[in-house]
Amino acid sequence: MGYLPDGWRNRHLQAAQAVRWQRGAFYFALKTGGTFRFQSASGEDSLINAGYRRSMKLILLPYLPPWTWSQFHQHFALRLLPSVETLDSDRYSRTVRIGDRAGWISVRPLPAQACLELMLSDSLHDHAAELALRVRKMFDLDNDPAIVARHFSADPLLGPLIATSPGLRLPSAFDPFEQAVRAIVGQQVTVKAAVTITRRLVERLGNELAQTPPNEAGGLLRLFPTPQAIAGAQLDKIGMPGKRVATLQYLAAAVAEGALELHVDNGVDELVSRLCELPGIGPWTAQYIALRGFGEADAFPVADLGLLKAPMWGSGGISARELLARSQAWRPWRAYAAVHIWQNYGSAMTDPKQRQLKAVESSPVLAVGR
């Protein structure tokens, strides 16, 4: 976690303990079909029905407002993988693999109830509890926006940004390996180009989905490729330089063989260190995987162009060294700072040639990896 003043360290540990308790209570309620008590930073609490019965396909996932569907809709729209993901005005769906099961999930917001509705394919019902927790992480539903807003309230630049958009959350991926692949593919290219290349990987290597989804999740045809499939594939003419292809296959082979375990059990720094041991992966890629692959609240890809060139810094931007020093005061919520800075950067992107970058992070300034 790095250095934190004693007061902030204690408050962070208390908040983390509260979140762990709430997740455990939600998990138990989900398994039993009961209720759980959700407590906010202000101390207010309420009983919420977990909403799942084995005879049903729907799970209700509550959150503490404010939370904005438009942020997640825009996030998914810019990165959408055809045949793996679909997106409508009020619904996101995708194929998933969990354990030895494959199927699909579909999520839509229920604003009047301050919750999301999660629909599962029949093939995934035995994994309902785990899927619910992963989707909660994906949509950052366990975050208490009051804690984040209070942490940044004294910052002269970030404080006003967060006060203006207090509902911004930290979108993360369903599967860390998939996000790691996307991060490598996206090194020093636009988001649009990265999606095109990743789509080719899916078309070449992704298994077909056996169960036909209903209309709500129509268009889902393939699963994201496994580490084994990517590691052993011929990726000629995939659209990436040879060194980046090698990096991708180093990662896939390491995961497939068990030499690299993608988890954050020992913290962000340990994950970043393990990733940076692979040829072609440097700090930007590793931090980005921690941020988007795991939703780690303190991950911070400091060399990102969008973070350095956001208009909030003035016409000259800010150097990576200066930003890193400044970000120490933002711990342990630096990823939320990044989300708001990216939005600030996106708000200034009016050039039609760069609209695909609007309101999203960009490629790193520095060459990534070795």
Side-chain angles (χ1 to χ4, degrees):
M1 183 182 298
Y3 172 75
L4 287 175
D6 289 341
W8 273 114
R9 184 183 299 277
N10 292 337
R11 284 193 287 274
H12 172 69
L13 292 175
Q14 291 169 2
Q17 184 178 13
V19 168
R20 283 195 296 270
W21 183 89
Q22 289 176 167
R23 286 176 179 168
F26 175 79
Y27 185 90
F28 178 78
L30 188 61
K31 295 287 283 186
T32 61
T35 60
F36 77 106
R37 188 177 300 276
F38 195 100
Q39 187 174 65
S40 70
S42 63
E44 298 177 355
D45 59 3
S46 58
L47 289 174
I48 300 176
N49 195 322
Y52 177 69
R53 300 291 189 280
R54 285 194 175 273
S55 60
M56 300 172 62
K57 296 181 180 180
L58 302 179
I59 302 171
L60 298 183
L61 305 175
Y63 57 81
L64 283 174
W67 181 96
T68 57
W69 168 248
S70 60
Q71 179 199 5
F72 285 85
H73 189 278
Q74 184 180 52
H75 175 82
F76 292 129
L78 286 160
R79 298 163 176 79
L80 203 70
L81 272 180
S83 78
V84 173
E85 301 172 294
T86 62
L87 183 67
D88 297 320
S89 61
D90 65 346
R91 184 181 295 275
Y92 168 80
S93 306
R94 66 160 296 137
T95 61
V96 300
R97 182 187 289 105
I98 184 166
D100 60 353
R101 298 292 185 91
W104 53 266
I105 61 173
S106 187
V107 182
R108 71 184 182 107
L110 302 176
Q113 301 181 48
C115 67
L116 303 186
E117 178 190 85
L118 169 63
M119 180 186 295
L120 308 177
S121 64
D122 292 340
S123 60
L124 298 175
H125 277 195
D126 289 344
H127 296 279
E130 181 179 352
L131 284 166
L133 292 176
R134 288 177 70 168
V135 172
R136 290 191 67 81
K137 187 69 172 179
M138 188 178 181
F139 288 86
D140 198 16
L141 301 184
D142 290 319
N143 172 261
D144 187 337
I147 293 177
V148 176
R150 188 162 59 237
H151 181 58
F152 290 102
S153 61
D155 189 285
L157 295 178
L158 278 174
L161 289 181
I162 293 175
T164 301
S165 303
L168 286 187
R169 301 293 180 105
L170 180 58
S172 60
F174 175 82
D175 178 62
F177 173 72
E178 177 181 327
Q179 183 56 62
V181 170
R182 289 185 181 228
I184 291 171
V185 171
Q187 289 176 353
Q188 298 182 324
V189 299
T190 65
V191 174
K192 183 177 181 180
V195 170
T196 298
I197 296 168
T198 309
R199 187 191 70 231
R200 293 172 188 156
L201 284 172
V202 170
E203 291 170 348
R204 290 193 192 185
L205 306 174
N207 293 333
E208 292 186 1
L209 185 65
Q211 185 178 14
T212 303
N215 291 336
E216 293 90 340
L220 298 179
L221 304 173
R222 291 185 179 275
L223 297 160
F224 194 83
T226 64
Q228 293 83 354
I230 294 176
Q234 290 292 331
L235 297 180
D236 299 339
K237 298 181 180 179
I238 200 71
M240 291 193 297
K243 287 186 177 180
R244 197 170 305 151
V245 170
T247 296
L248 178 61
Q249 294 192 301
Y250 278 132
L251 170 82
V255 173
E257 296 165 2
L260 174 65
E261 296 182 359
L262 292 176
H263 63 74
V264 288
D265 295 349
N266 299 317
V268 174
D269 292 343
E270 196 268 345
L271 171 68
V272 168
S273 177
R274 283 188 284 120
L275 287 170
C276 287
E277 291 175 357
L278 294 177
I281 294 183
W284 180 89
T285 303
Q287 288 282 349
Y288 187 74
I289 292 170
L291 189 152
R292 290 297 190 203
F294 294 91
E296 278 297 300
D298 202 41
F300 196 67
V302 69
D304 185 87
L305 179 63
L307 299 182
L308 300 177
K309 298 299 182 182
M312 61 184 284
W313 307 122
S315 59
I318 190 172
S319 71
R321 184 186 298 272
E322 291 171 323
L323 182 58
L324 181 61
R326 188 173 189 129
S327 73
Q328 300 311 303
W330 302 337
R331 290 181 180 270
W333 307 106
R334 293 189 301 173
Y336 290 91
V339 168
H340 284 273
I341 297 171
W342 278 324
Q343 175 168 276
N344 179 254
Y345 175 71
S347 67
M349 299 294 289
T350 57
D351 184 347
K353 294 181 180 180
Q354 301 189 65
R355 281 179 183 168
Q356 67 267 28
L357 294 177
K358 188 175 181 181
V360 299
E361 61 276 20
S362 55
S363 302
V365 171
L366 306 177
V368 176
R370 292 168 276 153

